[in-house]
Amino acid sequence: MAAGALAFLVIAFAALVLWLRYDALPHADRYRGFIVSSIERASGMAVKASAIRGGWDGLRPSVALDGFQLADREGRVALALQRAEVTLSWWSLFGGRLRFHDVDFYRPELVLRRAGDGLVY
C-alpha cells in the first residue's frame, strides 16, 4: 500500500514537472490575466503587466513579468518595474503556499504621495 502511494506521488510529481517544462512555462503569457488578477486581489491595487515569460533557473521554475505596474485607487502608477523576475521554490508544493527562491526587480520606480497630492521622491 505504501509503495503504491509513493509510486503515485513520484509519477504525479514527474507529470507536474513535465507540464511546467513543456506547456505552462513556455506559454506563460496565456496565463497573464489570471496572474494579474491574483496579484490585484492580493494587493488591492490595479496591476498591469505587458508580458509574462516563463523558463527555468537551473532546476527551479522561473517567471518574468515585463512592464509591471501597480496603480493606486485613482489609477495613478505607484510602483513600476521594467521587469520583475521570480524563481519559485519547490517547497511551495509541500507547504501549500507560494514561496520564492529568488526575486529580482529591474529599474524600479516608486512614487510616494502625501494626502494633499504633493509628490515625495
Side-chain angles (χ1 to χ4, degrees):
M1 181 72 172
L6 181 62
F8 174 78
L9 289 175
V10 168
I11 291 171
F13 180 75
L16 174 67
V17 170
L18 290 173
W19 175 73
L20 283 171
R21 174 106 177 137
Y22 295 107
D23 186 46
L25 291 176
H27 306 104
D29 201 52
R30 69 181 172 199
Y31 302 107
R32 183 177 357 160
F34 174 74
I35 293 169
V36 166
S37 66
S38 296
I39 297 171
E40 285 178 338
R41 281 192 310 274
S43 68
M45 300 177 80
V47 176
K48 291 182 184 175
S50 61
I52 298 178
R53 295 175 287 112
W56 290 88
D57 182 13
L59 295 176
R60 293 183 178 94
S62 65
V63 176
L65 288 86
D66 295 326
F68 182 79
Q69 294 181 343
L70 283 173
D72 62 16
R73 292 183 180 144
E74 287 82 35
R76 299 175 299 190
V77 175
L79 173 65
L81 304 169
Q82 179 182 18
R83 186 173 69 247
E85 294 180 357
V86 296
T87 303
L88 303 175
S89 171
W90 286 112
W91 291 109
S92 297
L93 291 175
F94 306 115
R97 290 183 47 192
L98 185 61
R99 295 184 184 265
F100 300 115
H101 173 72
D102 190 29
V103 177
D104 294 313
F105 298 132
Y106 296 88
R107 299 199 56 188
E109 295 179 22
L110 177 64
V111 178
L112 303 174
R113 294 180 179 85
R114 289 188 286 231
D117 273 337
L119 295 180
V120 179
Y121 297 96

